[in-house]
Amino acid sequence: MKRSSVLLTAILAACATPDPQGAFLEVEELVRERAGAQTSLAWRSSEHAARLDDPRVSELLASPLSAESAVEIALLRSAAVQGALADLGIAEAAVDQAGRPPNPTLSLARLASGVEVEIERQLLVNVLSFLTMRERIAIAEASAHRTRFLVALEIAIIADRVRRAWIEAVAARERVAIAETIFEKTKIAAELAARMAMAGNTSALDQSRIQALKADTAAALGRARLAVQTSRERLVREMGLWGEEARIQLPSRLEKLPKAATETDDVERQAIAKRLDLAAARIEIEVMAAQLGLTERTARISLLELSGLSTDVEEKGSGDEPGKSFTLRGVELEISVPIFDRGEAKIATAEWSYLQAVERLRAMAVSARSEVREAYLNYRGLLDIARHYQRDVTPLRQKISEEELLRFNGMLVGTFELITASRQAAEATLAAVDAKRDFWLAEAQLDMTTLTGKGDSPAMTGGGMAAAGAEEGGH
């Protein structure tokens, strides 16, 4: 009885304590820091909860969406986010499972001959699973910790896609307004050219040129309107909305360029310290080290089972002599004998897996430094280009258009030259919008590269490799 109490105490001391709520709160904090979201995540643990209306979502949808509010809605509503959060429950369940030894096996047998009947009962317990329980729990908890970073990374990638989709959708609205202005001006010029042609004041060539410009601008307007619809649908899809909620409102133009670029001399240090993919890779190395230690302990002995035996024997009597009945009791220990397989291959596999994880982390760190430098150069360069369009290109084209109008009023140029200059000025404005869009996308890329990585996250795994022999049964 005393031995049983000691064994039970050891089991209870090693029991795992899964913490789904703590895992969720940690992921929420990681996402808030990396994705720039001010909201709390919503973890919907049932289908009923997923169908409930969220007053915060309704409040945000009542006004034109900013990039931040679009991300907030996605974090509250997106089914992709909920799917990522479900990995937390799976990982915590793996921790719980690691703290539960395998059930004992009960074996019953009845043997009969002409003179006796034997009833055998056998209870088998995997002793190795008890001896390695603490290590297996530690591995499962480390794997669950890694899963938290991977889930946060996946959600941050979703938030980044929403932010990019919002930028594209608003830029498309800004572009279509300019395309409509170009088309209206070209349409008016075409009508004027037609009246002048009837009066004999313009050539058929100029009239045909203007009609061709009108056809081109009509096609460009059609493409711009289609881009508004498709980019809007992409944003709705990334936010996880459907039905009535898909009727979102968007601003008519992107934000103005910042007055100054974000100056930082330590983007590399920030990336190495804060990137979620690097954090997950560091924890993976810890898991591999723990697995290596457990493999070294269990590689030689992959089977260690203890069983209690009880056999009832009934002998038939002969003649006037009554039969005899008696019970045999005993214990049996089963252990694998390391003759053919001494575990060298298992240990080598674990060692190489550990070294592989170390080298992968080293390669990721080198790439992270280069990626964040590249993203920052792109951010600064596109800001300069966008400013150049706003400060130089667009005003110059507008000035040329105004001068051509004065020359047209003085009958120094024809209608075709006037509409060409006006169209070039509008196209410069379109290019300025594109440059502004590219800058905001570059800023989003810089944030993503600095805090989360480029989206090439490590593969989501379960509780890590099973310890060699720790869960193997002999029957």
Side-chain angles (χ1 to χ4, degrees), residues 278 281 285 355-368:
L278 294 179
I285 290 177
L355 292 175
Q356 184 183 58
V358 170
E359 294 303 325
R360 282 178 175 172
L361 175 59
R362 189 171 298 160
M364 289 175 63
V366 172
S367 296

Side-chain angles (χ1 to χ4, degrees), residues 42-55 57 73-83 85 239-242 245:
W43 193 2
R44 309 186 191 281
S45 57
S46 67
E47 289 189 41
H48 173 70
R51 291 193 296 266
L52 294 178
D53 292 332
D54 192 324
V57 173
I73 291 174
L75 297 184
L76 292 172
R77 182 66 83 218
S78 173
V81 171
Q82 296 303 311
L85 289 173
M239 292 169 62
L241 301 178
W242 62 283
E245 290 183 339

Side-chain angles (χ1 to χ4, degrees), residues 42-212:
W43 193 2
R44 309 186 191 281
S45 57
S46 67
E47 289 189 41
H48 173 70
R51 291 193 296 266
L52 294 178
D53 292 332
D54 192 324
R56 177 58 178 165
V57 173
S58 301
E59 177 186 349
L60 293 172
L61 290 174
S63 305
L65 296 177
S66 64
E68 290 72 20
S69 59
V71 170
E72 184 175 351
I73 291 174
L75 297 184
L76 292 172
R77 182 66 83 218
S78 173
V81 171
Q82 296 303 311
L85 289 173
D87 283 316
L88 295 179
I90 296 172
E92 294 302 316
V95 174
D96 185 34
Q97 185 64 49
R100 298 174 183 269
N103 293 323
T105 302
L106 176 62
S107 174
L108 300 175
R110 182 180 184 276
L111 303 174
S113 66
V115 295
E116 65 180 20
V117 176
E118 293 185 6
I119 298 178
E120 181 180 289
R121 294 174 293 273
Q122 186 178 20
L123 186 66
L124 297 96
V125 178
N126 189 336
V127 179
L128 189 60
S129 66
F130 289 99
L131 297 178
T132 60
M133 183 178 294
R134 288 184 181 275
E135 290 87 345
R136 290 189 289 110
I137 290 175
I139 292 172
E141 289 177 340
S143 296
H145 190 206
R146 175 175 177 264
T147 298
R148 298 179 187 185
F149 282 91
L150 293 179
V151 169
L153 174 57
E154 188 172 350
I155 294 176
I157 291 172
I158 293 172
D160 178 69
R161 291 204 304 262
V162 172
R163 194 182 305 276
R164 290 173 175 276
W166 181 90
I167 293 171
E168 295 281 4
V170 176
R173 281 176 56 84
E174 193 169 352
R175 282 182 57 87
V176 80
I178 299 171
E180 288 173 347
T181 300
I182 296 174
F183 177 74
E184 289 300 324
K185 288 183 177 180
T186 308
K187 181 180 177 182
I188 293 173
E191 294 173 353
L192 176 61
R195 290 196 297 267
M196 293 178 66
M198 292 178 62
N201 294 329
T202 188
S203 66
L205 177 60
D206 282 349
Q207 185 180 10
S208 298
R209 287 175 174 174
I210 294 173
Q211 290 295 334

Side-chain angles (χ1 to χ4, degrees), residues 108-364:
L108 300 175
R110 182 180 184 276
L111 303 174
S113 66
V115 295
E116 65 180 20
V117 176
E118 293 185 6
I119 298 178
E120 181 180 289
R121 294 174 293 273
Q122 186 178 20
L123 186 66
L124 297 96
V125 178
N126 189 336
V127 179
L128 189 60
S129 66
F130 289 99
L131 297 178
T132 60
M133 183 178 294
R134 288 184 181 275
E135 290 87 345
R136 290 189 289 110
I137 290 175
I139 292 172
E141 289 177 340
S143 296
H145 190 206
R146 175 175 177 264
T147 298
R148 298 179 187 185
F149 282 91
L150 293 179
V151 169
L153 174 57
E154 188 172 350
I155 294 176
I157 291 172
I158 293 172
D160 178 69
R161 291 204 304 262
V162 172
R163 194 182 305 276
R164 290 173 175 276
W166 181 90
I167 293 171
E168 295 281 4
V170 176
R173 281 176 56 84
E174 193 169 352
R175 282 182 57 87
V176 80
I178 299 171
E180 288 173 347
T181 300
I182 296 174
F183 177 74
E184 289 300 324
K185 288 183 177 180
T186 308
K187 181 180 177 182
I188 293 173
E191 294 173 353
L192 176 61
R195 290 196 297 267
M196 293 178 66
M198 292 178 62
N201 294 329
T202 188
S203 66
L205 177 60
D206 282 349
Q207 185 180 10
S208 298
R209 287 175 174 174
I210 294 173
Q211 290 295 334
L213 282 176
K214 179 183 176 183
D216 290 341
T217 54
L221 177 58
R223 287 192 296 270
R225 287 173 173 170
L226 179 60
V228 169
Q229 296 173 350
T230 55
S231 61
R232 182 188 184 92
E233 281 301 322
R234 180 192 170 198
L235 175 59
V236 168
R237 181 173 65 253
E238 296 292 354
M239 292 169 62
L241 301 178
W242 62 283
E244 293 294 326
E245 290 183 339
R247 299 179 180 180
I248 58 175
Q249 304 176 59
L250 293 174
S252 59
R253 61 182 64 245
L254 291 170
E255 300 176 40
K256 295 180 179 180
L257 295 173
K259 295 181 179 180
T262 301
E263 297 291 346
T264 178
D265 298 326
D266 60 352
V267 287
E268 291 185 36
R269 183 187 61 80
Q270 290 185 32
I272 296 300
K274 294 186 176 182
R275 276 179 55 150
L276 291 171
D277 55 350
L278 294 179
R282 293 188 191 102
I283 299 175
E284 182 182 18
I285 290 177
E286 297 176 8
V287 174
M288 290 290 186
Q291 289 170 342
L292 175 58
L294 182 56
T295 301
E296 290 175 341
R297 284 190 57 192
T298 61
R300 290 179 180 271
I301 305 299
S302 59
L303 173 64
L304 180 59
E305 288 187 340
L306 182 66
S307 61
L309 302 175
S310 175
T311 304
D312 294 336
V313 181
E314 295 183 5
E315 294 182 351
K316 296 182 179 180
S318 59
D320 296 333
E321 295 182 5
K324 296 180 181 180
S325 298
F326 54 92
T327 301
L328 300 175
R329 293 183 177 87
V331 294
E332 180 182 9
L333 180 65
E334 292 189 36
I335 184 171
S336 62
V337 181
I339 297 177
F340 304 110
D341 183 3
R342 300 175 62 85
E344 291 88 348
K346 293 178 182 179
I347 295 175
T349 300
E351 289 176 343
W352 284 112
S353 297
Y354 174 78
L355 292 175
Q356 184 183 58
V358 170
E359 294 303 325
R360 282 178 175 172
L361 175 59
R362 189 171 298 160
M364 289 175 63

